[in-house]
Amino acid sequence: MHRITQPPEKFTRTVVAFAFVVATFAGCAKSPPVAAPPSIYASAEDVELNFRDRTFVLGDNNQIAEVRPLDWRQDRFLKLPFWFGVNILVPGVMAPKEGEFYVISEATLEKPLDTPGEWMIEAGSSLVKQETVFITTRTQYLSPGKILPTVVQYMGKREFKRADGKVVQIPVLREVSLPMKWTLGGRIPASYARYRT
């Protein structure tokens, strides 16, 4: 009786291929899930707990907003991103996400909209200002002018029709905190919008 055998090189190729398939499946099964890096920014819970309808102090960092309630020590704060707008030109800056919290600064109240508590403002980076809808919840602005830094939540975009008939999408920010406490000494300059709470 004759036994049929494979040539040694063919047998070796078959064993290597089988081992590769087994290793591939074993590797796929054992791969741990990739965890997202922890955020450096305050959680939604921290923002709601510490800043909802409250004034706050803004730190001196011009890259990341360092914010703290009035009753915290001066060396304790939470971090939030500044609002740079939706058409960001600065490389490396992430586009804003709906529902996330930001601090607006260097913004100007332009005109009230038809709905009470809604204003059209100019907001964004120091280089590029964009029309933005600002919805106030407790602050009643009495005049146009600069806005003291405020913690806000990005609500997405709203459709507007311009005077020329063109339809545009404009970002919407909702007030979370009251305006920042003025800490620079003296009275708030006349260039800032007057308000009451």
Side-chain angles (χ1 to χ4, degrees):
M1 203 157 102
H2 295 297
R3 185 181 299 179
I4 300 173
T5 58
Q6 292 183 344
E9 61 275 359
K10 187 173 181 183
F11 176 75
T12 303
R13 283 196 304 263
T14 303
V15 170
V16 169
F18 179 75
F20 175 76
V21 170
V22 170
T24 300
F25 281 113
C28 290
K30 293 181 181 178
S31 297
V34 178
S39 175
I40 64 169
Y41 299 121
S43 68
E45 182 181 8
D46 283 335
V47 173
E48 292 288 348
L49 181 66
N50 292 293
F51 301 108
R52 173 65 66 183
D53 297 333
R54 298 172 66 186
T55 193
F56 65 98
V57 175
L58 179 65
D60 297 330
N61 190 331
N62 60 7
Q63 303 297 318
I64 295 174
E66 297 175 345
V67 291
R68 63 177 173 83
L70 300 181
D71 57 350
W72 281 15
R73 300 185 320 264
Q74 290 188 1
D75 62 346
R76 182 182 174 204
F77 53 83
L78 296 173
K79 294 180 180 180
L80 288 173
F82 282 111
W83 174 260
F84 290 121
V86 293
N87 298 319
I88 296 171
L89 300 178
V90 181
V93 177
M94 298 298 290
K97 295 179 182 176
E98 194 170 324
E100 294 290 319
F101 296 91
Y102 299 86
V103 172
I104 52 170
S105 65
E106 301 183 12
T108 305
L109 236 61
E110 295 293 329
K111 62 182 180 182
L113 298 176
D114 294 336
T115 304
E118 293 192 0
W119 288 77
M120 189 66 74
I121 67 174
E122 292 287 329
S125 70
S126 57
L127 300 175
V128 180
K129 300 291 185 189
Q130 302 170 14
E131 281 191 324
T132 304
V133 175
F134 182 43
I135 302 173
T136 61
T137 53
R138 285 205 41 202
T139 306
Q140 296 178 352
Y141 285 97
L142 308 175
S143 65
K146 293 180 182 177
I147 305 172
L148 287 169
T150 305
V151 179
V152 296
Q153 187 174 27
Y154 175 47
M155 306 306 294
K157 295 181 182 179
R158 186 188 297 175
E159 192 173 274
F160 278 85
K161 184 180 282 188
R162 296 190 185 277
D164 61 3
K166 182 180 179 182
V167 176
V168 294
Q169 298 286 327
I170 295 181
V172 179
L173 300 176
R174 178 178 290 156
E175 175 186 66
V176 173
S177 73
L178 298 180
M180 175 199 86
K181 179 179 179 179
W182 183 258
T183 57
L184 299 180
R187 296 173 61 86
I188 298 173
S191 58
Y192 281 83
R194 304 292 108 182
Y195 67 89
R196 65 180 174 220
T197 57

